Amino acid sequence: MDNGGFVDLSHFGAELMLAKTLFDYGARTPVVSALCGIKRKTATRIYRLAQEQAPIKGMLPWDPHWISRSTINNLHASIFLGLIQDYVSVRANGTEFGLQICNAYALYCRIVAHNPKPCDREARFEHHRVLDINRAWQLTRQFHASALHFVMCLCCQAGFLIPSHEDNQTVHCPVCGNKTGSVARQHRISRPFSQNAGKTLAICLDRF
């Protein structure tokens, strides 16, 4: 009997429901295929049935330095991967693992949707979801491959992400680091011009 590409027909319902949920979050077919343990063609057929259109083609978002490109990126990645660290078992496999990822992303969505004061960049995204499900999956893979890890901010005591190859002596998370930088810039501006003259080039370069 043809099982439609599923490895185990008894898991058809769980895999189908998980695939539909992932597609509703905007997951691409390669992500659904990996998390549901189904073939790419099967994921494509489910997408056509659920969304009534052909799936998006092209490469998945992949940027190993995404968390370092902005404070907002790091904040949202830290929220999501903090949930992954707490609630997703690396020993889980198949549909169980995919369901745990999906539940962690659903909780991330609820957390960021209740942000009372989103910044301009967050406000441009639906429900303030800067981190989409596809990049969330890529970050999870990086995290489980030990390419990313958490360190603790000495100022606010929050855990935040840094690439594993970076210096572990980082003491401030991006949020506290920005506040510290703002205070330092204000202090430099308040000094006499002669004291700042030697640092003018360095300050200008810091802005780019």
Side-chain angles (χ1 to χ4, degrees):
M1 179 179 176
D2 182 14
N3 64 6
F6 290 88
V7 176
D8 187 348
L9 189 59
S10 64
H11 293 165
F12 179 85
E15 292 169 343
L16 181 62
M17 292 303 297
L18 176 58
K20 185 180 183 306
T21 302
L22 289 167
F23 281 134
D24 288 342
Y25 279 124
R28 303 272 291 278
T29 50
V31 174
V32 173
S33 176
L35 289 177
C36 296
I38 61 178
K39 293 180 179 179
R40 189 78 61 88
K41 290 183 178 180
T42 303
T44 300
R45 289 201 297 271
I46 296 174
Y47 185 92
R48 288 180 180 275
L49 289 172
Q51 306 295 328
E52 298 183 349
Q53 61 183 347
I56 299 173
K57 296 182 179 180
M59 298 181 63
L60 291 171
W62 172 253
D63 182 355
H65 306 294
W66 188 81
I67 66 166
S68 304
R69 298 197 183 283
S70 75
T71 300
I72 295 301
N73 287 0
N74 193 294
L75 178 61
H76 281 252
S78 296
I79 292 172
F80 174 71
L81 289 182
L83 296 171
I84 293 293
Q85 185 180 50
D86 291 339
Y87 299 112
V88 176
S89 172
V90 294
R91 297 180 180 178
N93 51 46
T95 308
E96 180 185 3
F97 178 73
L99 184 60
Q100 290 179 0
I101 295 286
C102 196
N103 289 340
Y105 188 75
L107 184 53
Y108 157 78
C109 291
R110 290 199 295 269
I111 291 171
V112 299
H114 287 85
N115 183 357
K117 294 182 179 181
C119 69
D120 291 341
R121 182 161 180 262
E122 289 172 311
R124 293 199 299 267
F125 291 87
E126 183 180 8
H127 305 303
H128 313 150
R129 293 188 306 194
V130 174
L131 182 64
D132 70 28
I133 186 68
N134 302 293
R135 194 179 299 279
W137 165 235
Q138 297 287 4
L139 289 174
T140 301
R141 295 176 65 190
Q142 288 179 263
F143 186 63
H144 284 165
S146 299
L148 303 172
H149 70 278
F150 280 97
V151 294
M152 181 172 289
C153 175
L154 297 183
C155 182
C156 66
Q157 303 300 307
F160 67 100
L161 288 165
I162 64 171
S164 295
H165 60 79
E166 286 191 4
D167 187 1
N168 288 340
Q169 298 303 314
T170 304
V171 293
H172 294 303
C173 69
V175 175
C176 294
N178 279 351
K179 291 180 180 179
T180 302
S182 298
V183 172
R185 283 193 296 271
Q186 292 175 1
H187 181 63
R188 286 197 299 267
I189 292 172
S190 67
R191 292 176 177 178
F193 177 78
S194 59
Q195 294 182 14
N196 287 326
K199 300 180 181 179
T200 301
L201 179 61
I203 295 173
C204 290
L205 290 177
D206 285 343
R207 295 175 179 173
F208 297 93

